[in-house]
Amino acid sequence: MIAVNLSFAGQEPYFEAVDETGVFPITEQYAAQCGYTAGILIVPGIVELRASYFSCHTANQNDQIFTFNFNLIVSHNEERVSYALNETCSPSLPWSPREVTCEVNYLEVSVKSDVFCPLSPKLDIWDSSMQMVHGSATPGWQVVLVKEGKGMKPLNLSEARLNGYTLTVTANRLVARAAYGQLHSSRSEIDGISLEVVHVIMFSRQEWRVLLVDLVAPCTIYEAPYDGSGYITWETPLTLYTGLHTTNFSFGLDGELWEPHVARDMGYSVTSDGTIKVGIPYDADRAYRKSVVTDDLYDLYTCHFYMEQMATSDGGAETRTRTFKTLSSLLRRLILTENRTVPHKEMFTVYLGNVPGDMELVGIQLNEETFEAPFVNSSSYALDLTLLPNHTYGYTLTVPFDDPLVIKRFSAEHGAEVHELNIVYSVMIKPKRGPFSYHTTITARMGVPPPQFDASCSESGITFKLDHEPSNFLWEFTVGSEPLTPELAEQQGYILSNNSQTLQLEVPLFTYGYQYEHITLEGFLGTFETHVRNRHTSEVLSSSVKTCPFTAKEMIVCSKDGRMTVVADFSEVAAYEGAIVETSLLDEYCSPIDADNSKALFSFPLNSCGTRVMFNKWSVTYQNAILYSINSSTPLGSFLVQCTYPLTALSQLFSKFEFDSETAGVGQLVHPLKSVLAQQSSAAFPTTKPTMKPTKKHRRKPSMKPKATQMLQGRAQVLLALLAFALKVDSAPHGELLRGELIRDDDLARLILVQFLSELMEMNEGDVDPRLEEQLGIRETVMRRQLPLTQRERPAGCRNFFWKTFTSC
């Protein structure tokens, strides 16, 4: 056997046989006929030549010394170069009476030439052959080719060669050889295993004798199934010749031989029950793997199997059968992909594994755009190579979610944004042949982020705009805690437009929801906020806040923490009466924070600066006045300023006896009429009428429901807290004109408690005596214009308490 590394042999090497008559190229056909086996073994990467001792052009000395002469022709730098390879060999064992060789591409049988007795038990065949050769035998050797019990006309050795048979007579042996699949070869079965049989009878007349030699060569043509069992299998009959008994067998790879028990210790599977069955592990030493691409990707496991079987006849004659076989098993290669994407990292991470070691990744297609591997000049994508212990490769691909190649779509079914990446891996067998493409699709679902309004400022307010997206049905848009609906917009004075593409909200200045900061005489900052919340859970997920600078001639702000801020404009008053020289609140010590020739800025807590309180069932109003004097001699005039808060906004927060409202109050700044200014310059407040009048007749209401009870309990807490808060109202000195009718702290407490008792009776009994309000004059006292009265006009002191039928004065 001659083996040459392919790295030296190059592409398309071949051998020539050399003897004293010339040089003979060893082609495929010539090799089978002359006893040569030549071929390129990609794995393990060699070009190999095996030659029979009885091959053509081999010098034979008494069947003991054999001399081989070959030329190896290779290509170096595009030039053909010939290397002479010579070797002399001798058999390591003595020849058996019959030697059978089952090579990869031919069958060969040799017997001792002094064997005169027939070995075939089929006497009818032997007898018919004897009759055929009796009259035609000559001193030279002749041949009868036998197929299925019938022999053809005797041929000389040259004629037999033309029929595909090579017959050789050596010093001690007769040799017959033929390629598989000859016209006169036959097929048979033993124990269900197919055999190919070459049967040749050689004869020669020697004086008064006719010498006949029966040459039979049976070879197993078993093909191992591709069962994916983890073994490459070989199975052959225990005995190839009927009437012979197998005494021993051994096998191995690449020409080595092991006894069965040794092979079992190496992980082989060996049984000899009726047939000999050998299982060679895929990962066995000297078992080779290579990738094969057809319609799919496969692993072709191959090994060069060698086996010897010894069989003995009853007479003691031995037959040695040598089998050379390239065994293979084809197994589909499963390239693995693993989605290792972690959505919150916003990055596709895809692992491609189990790539064979004899293949390489040469290209990647991402959503139909092709890239060479590894990526060149790309900061967005990454491809990391990992070499694994089982001689395979792994590749880790990373692609950001926000890459333009990534397909993004909204899934209404999952209520999520789906990111999709279609990947086609192109792998190729080294070096650059056998391309194979592997496709996979990776998806990742991401929670849809809540949308953000685009906001812009204008002179009159703030505009919010939102483009419609398929995911918008997941959200609810709110102002404060109120859903943004056409009804809310109409109620609060917003301008809401909604078409197929855009939702737009225009929020005029001083409408519900604004917050005002950094108020100065020149202007202020107005902030408006919209919310996006989960439609099902009402959880607020995001906010869109816009702050814009505004200017206003005058304004009043009632904050949630109980502070009134007022910018009062005196330009009209000054134009009518003259320059304003001094301003203050009811408490003359409460002067403006800032002022100029036409404006004044006040900011003060509601429970200070002489602020007065009035209330009804649903709200609490805090009133004060901006007092001003014109020039230096003109009496005082006033602007009414007030803040009104709903009781519902105070119900939970007054328990701490500190002012805190869930909503901002509604402010009002009232200018007196110019005529009133001229005639009543001493008035602290402009003339107003009560907003509510006493009840004139009894009304029957239905009994109180649980909801009303809860409201009553809440109102009770508010009123009690309001009482405590009222005790904190500033009692600093006021102007002389206003001191007479200021509501005292104890009067306010009385009013609150009586009002509460009145409502309690009304809700429980459904029957309220209208005299309650008339006798106590509660609302009239609180709501009427607070002007100084003469003693004659002042009502007599009277304390009324009404409880059902009891009245005292």
Side-chain angles (χ1 to χ4, degrees):
M1 187 271 284
I2 298 172
V4 181
N5 196 297
L6 279 177
S7 62
F8 174 82
Q11 299 296 321
E12 300 181 357
Y14 67 91
F15 291 94
E16 295 174 337
V18 182
D19 63 13
E20 64 275 6
T21 64
V23 176
F24 305 89
I26 300 175
T27 63
E28 183 177 351
Q29 181 179 354
Y30 194 75
Q33 195 167 16
C34 281
Y36 302 114
T37 301
I40 295 175
L41 309 178
I42 301 298
V43 181
I46 60 174
V47 56
E48 184 181 76
L49 172 68
R50 285 196 304 272
S52 168
Y53 280 159
F54 300 109
S55 58
C56 305
H57 317 295
T58 300
N60 182 347
Q61 298 180 27
N62 199 32
D63 295 336
Q64 294 300 319
I65 299 175
F66 301 89
T67 302
F68 301 89
N69 295 286
F70 298 100
N71 290 330
L72 171 63
I73 313 300
V74 299
S75 296
H76 287 167
N77 299 323
E78 300 182 355
E79 292 185 3
R80 287 290 184 179
V81 182
S82 177
Y83 294 92
L85 303 172
N86 305 315
E87 190 66 53
T88 298
C89 302
S90 295
S92 57
L93 297 172
W95 294 107
S96 296
R98 175 162 52 189
E99 298 273 353
V100 177
T101 299
C102 300
E103 252 293 358
V104 173
N105 55 333
Y106 65 86
L107 305 86
E108 182 182 272
V109 57
S110 72
V111 298
K112 286 185 177 182
S113 57
D114 59 353
V115 175
F116 302 113
C117 297
L119 297 178
S120 174
K122 297 182 179 180
L123 299 180
D124 53 342
I125 298 176
W126 183 255
D127 291 341
S128 64
S129 299
M130 284 292 291
Q131 295 173 6
M132 182 182 302
V133 304
H134 185 270
S136 59
T138 64
W141 286 97
Q142 293 176 282
V143 178
V144 174
L145 303 178
V146 180
K147 181 178 182 180
E148 297 176 355
K150 298 179 181 180
M152 65 180 294
K153 178 182 176 180
L155 307 171
N156 60 35
L157 297 187
S158 297
E159 291 172 334
R161 190 180 185 89
L162 294 176
N163 283 273
Y165 294 82
T166 300
L167 295 109
T168 306
V169 180
T170 69
N172 301 299
R173 305 186 73 83
L174 300 176
V175 182
R177 184 186 311 108
Y180 290 101
Q182 292 297 320
L183 180 62
H184 295 92
S185 65
S186 60
R187 293 288 180 97
S188 65
E189 278 193 4
I190 298 178
D191 294 329
I193 298 174
S194 296
L195 304 175
E196 183 161 335
V197 182
V198 171
H199 191 179
V200 177
I201 297 176
M202 296 182 66
F203 63 94
S204 172
R205 182 183 292 278
Q206 297 181 7
E207 297 180 352
W208 56 271
R209 296 178 300 174
V210 176
L211 179 63
L212 291 93
V213 181
D214 191 10
L215 300 171
V216 180
C219 289
T220 300
I221 55 174
Y222 173 79
E223 294 293 338
Y226 300 147
D227 56 6
S229 62
Y231 291 93
I232 307 171
T233 58
W234 170 255
E235 190 170 7
T236 186
L238 189 61
T239 302
L240 293 169
Y241 290 92
T242 304
L244 300 185
H245 309 286
T246 296
T247 58
N248 188 28
F249 71 91
S250 57
F251 62 88
L253 303 182
D254 290 346
E256 291 193 18
L257 288 174
W258 308 307
E259 294 296 324
H261 69 277
V262 175
R264 290 190 184 98
D265 292 341
M266 298 168 63
Y268 287 67
S269 172
V270 184
T271 60
S272 56
D273 184 11
T275 64
I276 299 173
K277 188 172 184 179
V278 177
I280 304 160
Y282 285 165
D283 59 352
D285 188 25
R286 301 188 184 184
Y288 308 105
R289 191 212 67 83
K290 64 177 292 188
S291 298
V292 176
V293 176
T294 55
D295 57 329
D296 208 335
L297 179 62
Y298 295 91
D299 287 326
L300 179 62
Y301 294 92
T302 62
C303 62
H304 305 298
F305 183 73
Y306 175 53
M307 187 174 194
E308 284 190 7
Q309 293 172 263
M310 294 298 295
T312 307
S313 67
D314 292 336
E318 286 187 334
T319 296
R320 187 195 310 272
T321 302
R322 293 182 173 91
T323 300
F324 296 87
K325 191 74 174 178
T326 298
L327 303 181
S328 61
S329 183
L330 195 65
L331 187 66
R332 184 169 178 263
R333 162 71 66 163
L334 296 177
I335 290 184
L336 306 176
T337 55
E338 183 180 342
N339 184 3
R340 297 180 177 178
T341 302
V342 180
H344 75 267
K345 293 184 178 180
E346 298 186 0
M347 178 84 70
F348 280 112
T349 303
V350 185
Y351 176 75
L352 179 75
N354 204 31
V355 179
D358 61 344
M359 302 191 79
E360 61 181 338
L361 183 65
V362 296
I364 298 179
Q365 190 179 86
L366 303 176
N367 287 339
E368 301 185 354
E369 185 164 340
T370 303
F371 303 87
E372 289 186 4
F375 295 107
V376 180
N377 298 327
S378 174
S379 58
S380 298
Y381 319 127
L383 187 67
D384 297 325
L385 171 66
T386 304
L387 180 60
L388 302 175
N390 60 351
H391 304 292
T392 62
Y393 293 119
Y395 297 89
T396 302
L397 170 70
T398 55
V399 178
F401 281 177
D402 59 0
D403 190 271
L405 287 176
V406 177
I407 298 173
K408 304 175 184 67
R409 55 185 172 81
F410 177 74
S411 172
E413 178 184 358
H414 300 99
E417 188 175 54
V418 178
H419 296 74
E420 182 177 301
L421 188 64
N422 296 297
I423 310 172
V424 179
Y425 296 98
S426 294
V427 294
M428 188 171 289
I429 299 174
K430 301 174 183 178
K432 303 294 183 181
R433 59 188 181 85
F436 174 74
S437 295
Y438 182 80
H439 174 268
T440 185
T441 298
I442 304 298
T443 60
R445 290 201 299 265
M446 286 283 291
V448 181
Q452 290 284 339
F453 283 87
D454 291 327
S456 59
C457 303
S458 67
E459 292 184 1
S460 59
I462 301 176
T463 300
F464 293 87
K465 183 181 291 186
L466 178 68
D467 292 334
H468 285 309
E469 298 290 345
S471 59
N472 280 2
F473 76 92
L474 298 172
W475 322 115
E476 185 176 53
F477 308 111
T478 65
V479 175
S481 61
E482 298 295 326
L484 181 57
T485 61
E487 292 75 18
L488 177 68
E490 182 179 1
Q491 176 185 350
Q492 301 296 346
Y494 307 147
I495 301 173
L496 181 65
S497 59
N498 191 4
N499 54 37
S500 60
Q501 295 181 339
T502 305
L503 173 68
Q504 180 170 300
L505 174 67
E506 297 179 38
V507 187
L509 192 59
F510 301 123
T511 53
Y512 167 75
Y514 269 99
Q515 293 182 3
Y516 306 97
E517 298 176 308
H518 304 296
I519 302 173
T520 67
L521 295 177
E522 290 75 24
F524 59 94
L525 296 180
T527 300
F528 197 89
E529 182 176 8
T530 61
H531 301 290
V532 178
R533 67 186 186 187
N534 187 296
R535 186 175 294 275
H536 301 291
T537 65
S538 296
E539 177 188 3
V540 176
L541 303 175
S542 70
S543 299
S544 296
V545 182
K546 185 66 174 178
T547 300
C548 299
F550 295 101
T551 59
K553 192 173 181 180
E554 61 182 12
M555 63 180 298
I556 180 169
V557 176
C558 306
S559 66
K560 294 181 181 181
D561 59 352
R563 175 171 287 272
M564 187 186 304
T565 302
V566 183
V567 175
D569 178 54
F570 298 94
S571 58
E572 292 185 5
V573 175
Y576 185 78
E577 292 292 338
I580 305 298
V581 296
E582 185 180 352
T583 58
S584 71
L585 298 176
L586 288 178
D587 184 340
E588 60 186 11
Y589 295 100
C590 292
S591 58
I593 297 174
D594 193 10
D596 60 17
N597 294 332
S598 61
K599 291 182 180 180
L601 170 61
F602 292 89
S603 183
F604 56 94
L606 292 178
N607 63 342
S608 67
C609 296
T611 303
R612 303 170 182 182
V613 184
M614 66 180 183
F615 70 96
N616 58 31
K617 280 186 180 181
W618 312 113
S619 64
V620 178
T621 299
Y622 298 86
Q623 288 185 342
N624 208 312
I626 299 176
L627 309 179
Y628 58 89
S629 60
I630 302 170
N631 297 319
S632 57
S633 57
T634 306
L636 290 174
S638 67
F639 286 8
L640 170 67
V641 290
Q642 66 179 32
C643 286
T644 301
Y645 293 86
L647 285 179
T648 54
L650 302 170
S651 59
Q652 296 179 354
L653 301 169
F654 260 100
S655 58
K656 299 180 181 179
F657 306 120
E658 295 178 2
F659 193 99
D660 198 353
S661 174
E662 294 178 6
T663 62
V666 178
Q668 187 178 13
L669 191 155
V670 181
H671 288 262
L673 296 176
K674 293 183 175 61
S675 60
V676 174
L677 284 171
Q679 299 173 10
Q680 302 181 10
S681 58
S682 62
F685 284 84
T687 303
T688 58
K689 294 184 178 180
T691 56
M692 297 184 63
K693 295 182 179 181
T695 304
K696 295 300 182 182
K697 53 184 177 181
H698 297 278
R699 288 184 297 172
R700 194 71 174 173
K701 291 188 178 181
S703 61
M704 184 171 59
K705 295 182 179 180
K707 198 170 196 179
T709 304
Q710 296 174 3
M711 183 177 68
L712 179 61
Q713 294 172 351
R715 189 172 298 152
Q717 295 176 358
V718 171
L719 294 173
L720 291 174
L722 188 60
L723 172 60
F725 179 74
L727 296 177
K728 299 181 181 181
V729 174
D730 186 10
S731 59
H734 300 279
E736 186 67 28
L737 295 175
L738 299 173
R739 289 178 184 170
E741 284 296 310
L742 285 175
I743 300 177
R744 299 193 309 274
D745 293 344
D746 57 344
D747 291 338
L748 180 59
R750 177 180 63 82
L751 296 175
I752 293 173
L753 291 177
V754 174
Q755 174 74 3
F756 168 61
L757 292 175
S758 174
E759 292 182 1
L760 179 67
M761 290 177 54
E762 181 179 3
M763 298 187 71
N764 279 316
E765 302 297 333
D767 191 7
V768 178
D769 193 321
R771 291 176 299 169
L772 179 62
E773 291 183 350
E774 293 176 357
Q775 291 174 356
L776 297 179
I778 298 170
R779 297 179 186 260
E780 193 68 23
T781 302
V782 177
M783 299 296 295
R784 67 183 174 85
R785 176 166 170 250
Q786 299 294 326
L787 293 176
L789 302 176
T790 63
Q791 187 64 32
R792 182 179 299 176
E793 294 170 325
R794 198 182 304 270
C798 181
R799 296 294 180 262
N800 301 332
F801 184 80
F802 173 76
W803 186 259
K804 291 191 178 179
T805 58
F806 175 75
T807 301
S808 65
C809 180

